[in-house]
Amino acid sequence: IDPLKQKEVLESFIAQRVDGIAISCLNSDLVTPSINKAMDMGIPVIAWDSDAPKSKRIAFYGVNDFESGVIMGENLVKLLGGKGKVAVITTLGADNLENRLKGAMSILEKQPGIQIVEIFDCKDDFLVSKQIIETASKKYLDLNGWISTGGWPVFNENMLDPVDTTRIKVVAFDTIPPAPEIMKKGKVHL
């Protein structure tokens, strides 16, 4: 679902005067006015996974995404021995992924031996992510690491086939199957 479609669905729920709404916001700035409208109409709203922190929502249920990004960045630096070329996959606009990216970059950018070759926006699309991995693997033959603020590289058994994971370290966020099996096979390192 794209952010505009999510807003449309949210507005539909508000028009139906549902009893409550739980939402993982694809673009918090876009849906905040709708969340506020629902709350003003007496429809309770909670955010989960990806927050709308400027909204009137009742609560947020999720992880500290900035700290999660910091942990991802620190571990990739360790896996690479403090040096190497890194590519990043994210989705721009989603509060949770933006914060994970900020956390990871706060570590990676301080490392003199780490070079970020490119930050890719997969638009929260599994197939776009697959295409990015394939294209970047050909473009950056000297790549040493991937960091993914979401789980796209671990959502399918063959997503990382173009990547030599014996040489290139991969850090991704998510444990949804088949991620655990992919990690056990050594295709993902964290």
Side-chain angles (χ1 to χ4, degrees), residues 7-147:
K7 182 176 175 69
E8 181 182 307
V9 169
L10 179 58
E11 287 290 337
S12 170
F13 290 156
I14 295 167
Q16 295 172 53
R17 296 188 182 272
V18 297
D19 294 329
I21 298 170
I23 184 170
S24 176
C25 305
L26 297 176
N27 182 316
S28 63
D29 290 335
L30 184 64
V31 296
T32 289
S34 299
I35 291 171
N36 292 346
K37 177 179 170 182
M39 291 293 297
D40 291 344
M41 292 175 58
I43 301 170
V45 179
I46 65 163
W48 60 276
D49 183 44
S50 185
D51 197 9
K54 297 175 189 168
S55 74
K56 297 178 182 178
R57 54 99 175 115
I58 294 171
F60 168 66
Y61 176 76
V63 300
N64 182 325
D65 290 300
F66 183 86
E67 286 302 316
S68 296
V70 166
I71 292 166
M72 294 171 72
E74 289 172 342
N75 280 281
L76 184 58
V77 169
K78 286 179 192 171
L79 287 166
L80 296 177
K83 60 183 179 196
K85 294 183 178 182
V86 174
V88 180
I89 300 176
T90 193
T91 293
L92 301 175
D95 187 68
N96 60 339
L97 303 173
E98 290 275 348
N99 283 324
R100 279 184 220 146
L101 178 61
K102 287 176 187 172
M105 295 303 286
S106 75
I107 299 300
L108 298 174
E109 289 176 337
K110 290 178 185 174
Q111 305 300 316
I114 299 289
Q115 178 189 354
I116 306 298
V117 295
E118 195 163 345
I119 297 175
F120 296 96
D121 180 4
C122 74
K123 302 180 184 342
D124 202 23
D125 187 309
F126 164 78
L127 294 175
V128 171
S129 180
K130 183 175 175 52
Q131 188 175 39
I132 287 168
I133 291 169
E134 289 172 356
T135 303
S137 294
K138 293 174 186 168
K139 182 177 180 180
Y140 300 108
L141 298 176
D142 56 350
L143 193 66
N144 304 103
W146 279 98
I147 192 163

Side-chain angles (χ1 to χ4, degrees), residues 166-188:
T166 61
R167 184 182 64 78
I168 300 170
K169 304 304 178 194
V170 180
V171 173
F173 188 94
D174 257 319
T175 56
I176 298 168
E181 289 304 313
I182 293 170
M183 285 186 75
K184 287 177 187 171
K185 291 178 182 177
K187 287 185 172 184
V188 175

